[in-house]
Amino acid sequence: MPTEAETNPVTTLDAAQGSVLVFDFGSQYAQLIARRVREQEVYCQIVRHDLPASRVKELNPKGIIFSGGPSSVYAKGAPKCDPDVMELGIPILGICYGMQLACEQLGGKVQNTSTREYGRAFCEQLIENDLLVDLPDKFEVWMSHGDYVEEVSSDFVSLARTSSSPFAAVKHVSRPVYGLQFHPEVTHTPQGKQILANFLFQVCKCEKNWKLDDFAQEMIEQIRKRVGKKRVICGLSGGVDSSVTAALIQKAIGDQLSCILVDNGLLRKGEKESVTREFSQHFKTDLHVNEAEDSFLADLAGTVDPQTKRIRIGHRFIECFREEAKEIEDAHFLAQGTLYPDVIESGAAIDGPAETIKSHHNVGGLPAELGLELIEPLRDLFKDEVRRLGTELGLPAEIVWRHPFPGPGLAVRCLGEVTRDRLVILREADHLLIDEIKKAGYYDKTAQCFAVLLPVQSVGVMGDARTYENCIAIRAVNTDDFMTADWSRLPYDLLAQISTRIINEVKGVNRVVYDISSKPPATIEWE
C-alpha cells in the first residue's frame, strides 16, 4: 500500500516550507483554521501538536498557529508542544487552548471558570497593536471555553478584554507570541478573517502563494503519474463531492475511469435516474448501477442508533461495491470524495488527539476491504473549495451547487427505525420542501436544506377526525464552510406554504416543525 505522502503528496510536510503550520491540540476547528489561512492564498499544513522543534526549524515556516482543544492545560496528560518551539523566533498565534498553553509555558496561570463562557461576546481593544489593526475599538467575537488565563507573566500585555476575560487577546513583549481567548476562525466572529490576515501579513510577513487552480493542476498530474495505465473505480452518489472527484480523475486519465452507483434505497426522490442520466450522457463514463435496496433495508431493520446505522450501511456498501467491482477488469484504484470535514469528524485528520463526532462511511476501511489502492483527491478541501474546483473543471451549475447529501443517505435523516414506509414519507416530504424552496428562490440562498422524519407521533385533527401521525422537521442552514453554520431565516409565509403542502400531500404527516439550532452546538445533520 502507498504511504500517506504517496497518496496525498500535496499535503506532505515539506510542502509547508515558507508557509504556516497549524499545531492540532485536538480541536474540531483545526482544519477550519487551515481553511481560513488558505482563503488568504497562504498555504498551510496541519501537524501534530508535538512536532519536534528541530523539524519545525527545518521547515522554516513563516508562522505557527496553536489550535484550540478539549483539554485543560493543567490536566494530567494534556497535549503540550515541544517547549523549544517557543525559542525559534517564529511568530505564534495561540487560539483558546493554544493561547492558554502559550501563556502557561511562558509563566502565566490558567484556571477553570465558575461558568463556561460560550457564545457571542464583545471585545474592547486596550492598546494599539499589529494583531488587531484596522478593527474597531469594540468588536464581536465567539467564545467557547471553560478555562481562562487568570494571570499572565510580566512579559505579556493584554491587547483586548471582554466583560469576563481580562486577557481576551495578549502579546508577549519580546517574543512574537500572540494569544486569543476567542475563536477568530468561525463565522460567528465577524472580524475573524481580518485578525488572521493581520497575523499572516502584518506579523508573519507571508506571501500569497497558494491558489486552487494550482492545486487542481498539480493533483491532475499526480493522479496521472500514479495511476499510469491502470483503471480507477469511483463511487457515485450524485452529490457534489463524488461528482467533482469523478470529473477531476476523468480529466487526468479519461476512459480509464469506471463509476459505480450503489442504489441503497436511501437516495432522494429521482436521485438514481438523475445520476444515471448525468454520468451516462454528460460525462460519458463507464457507469455501473448496483440494485441493493432490499439488502440495505434488511440490515437496518430494528436499528435506531445512528452510529450503528452508519456502520451497517458502510459494511453493506463494501459488499455491494465489491460485487460490482468484480465486473470491472483491471481495477486497481478506488477514488473517494473524502473532504476535510469528513476526516475531522471521524477523528482521522492527523495522527493526533482530535475527538470523533461521527463515523463517515467513506473515511478509511474501504481500500483494505476491497483490495484497491485509495485515491482521495479532495481530502484537503472544504465544501466551498470543492464547488469552486467543480466550476473550474466545467461541471454544470446544477451539479456544483447541489445541496450536500450525507453518505448514509436518508437513513440518518430518518430518526429511529428505517423502514420502506417511513422512507417513502421522508422522501416525499423532502421533495416537496426542495420544490418550494426552489420556487421561492431560496435554494441558492441556503447552503443546505432538507427534511427529517422524527421518531415521534402527535395528535392532530384532519377533516374533523382525530389523527395520531408523524412529525417532519425542516432543517435549513447558511454557512460557507460547513464547520460552523447558522439556521436560515426563511420567510414565515414560505414556511407556512411548505408545512401546508407536506401535511396535505404526504400521507402520514400531521405536524411540521422548524429547526433553529446553530452549529455549534448542534450539527447540521440530526444524526
Side-chain angles (χ1 to χ4, degrees), residues 353-369:
E355 293 186 341
T356 298
I357 293 178
K358 58 189 177 184
S359 296
H360 287 265
H361 79 291
N362 62 331
V363 179
L366 291 184
E369 294 284 350

Side-chain angles (χ1 to χ4, degrees), residues 260 262 288-292 295 316-328 370:
I260 296 176
V262 175
H288 301 249
V289 179
N290 183 278
E291 306 286 355
S295 58
R316 178 57 62 180
F317 177 81
I318 291 171
E319 292 301 318
C320 293
F321 207 98
R322 180 191 287 117
E323 176 185 327
E324 203 63 43
K326 288 179 181 177
E327 305 301 318
I328 301 174
L370 296 170

Side-chain angles (χ1 to χ4, degrees), residues 457-496:
Q457 291 182 310
S458 63
V459 174
V461 177
M462 301 176 73
D464 294 327
R466 178 185 182 278
T467 63
Y468 190 63
E469 294 181 333
N470 295 288
C471 178
I472 289 287
I474 303 302
R475 180 68 157 150
V477 298
N478 292 332
T479 178
D480 62 355
D481 52 51
F482 289 86
M483 292 301 295
T484 62
D486 199 8
W487 60 279
S488 302
R489 272 62 171 178
L490 297 180
Y492 290 159
D493 289 345
L494 175 56
L495 290 173

Side-chain angles (χ1 to χ4, degrees), residues 79-255:
K80 302 292 178 70
C81 70
D82 182 343
D84 289 342
V85 169
M86 300 281 192
E87 308 298 326
L88 296 176
I90 300 170
I92 295 174
L93 174 64
I95 297 175
C96 201
Y97 178 90
M99 169 194 174
Q100 296 161 12
L101 177 65
C103 289
E104 185 205 45
Q105 290 195 348
L106 295 175
K109 181 179 179 181
V110 177
Q111 73 171 29
N112 187 260
T113 61
S114 56
T115 58
R116 176 169 178 163
E117 189 174 20
Y118 186 88
R120 288 180 172 85
F122 287 89
C123 256
E124 177 186 359
Q125 286 203 60
L126 301 177
I127 60 174
E128 290 187 6
N129 62 91
D130 46 4
L131 184 63
L132 304 178
V133 67
D134 294 331
L135 268 70
D137 292 337
K138 290 186 178 181
F139 55 95
E140 187 178 337
V141 299
W142 182 263
M143 293 284 194
S144 178
H145 64 97
D147 297 332
Y148 74 108
V149 177
E150 181 186 32
E151 297 176 6
V152 294
S153 70
S154 58
D155 291 328
F156 277 96
V157 294
S158 179
L159 305 179
R161 67 185 178 192
T162 67
S163 59
S164 57
S165 297
F167 305 107
V170 298
K171 179 185 184 299
H172 197 278
V173 295
S174 60
R175 304 170 189 251
V177 177
Y178 298 76
L180 299 173
Q181 183 61 76
F182 56 88
H183 289 270
E185 71 274 21
V186 302
T187 55
H188 300 317
T189 298
Q191 305 288 339
K193 290 184 180 180
Q194 181 62 52
I195 295 170
L196 290 175
N198 289 341
F199 177 70
L200 296 173
F201 302 116
Q202 299 289 336
V203 178
C204 301
K205 309 301 181 184
C206 289
E207 299 178 358
K208 293 179 181 289
N209 60 2
W210 190 87
K211 292 180 172 59
L212 194 58
D213 55 351
D214 294 335
F215 170 89
Q217 290 305 313
E218 183 175 356
M219 186 57 68
I220 287 170
E221 289 304 316
Q222 289 170 0
I223 293 170
R224 188 175 292 147
K225 181 178 179 180
R226 184 177 170 208
V227 170
K229 299 297 183 180
K230 297 175 182 177
R231 180 161 292 278
V232 177
I233 297 176
C234 179
L236 283 177
S237 66
V240 178
D241 307 338
S242 63
S243 298
V244 174
T245 298
L248 183 64
I249 292 175
Q250 188 182 54
K251 196 88 168 179
I253 62 173
D255 59 9

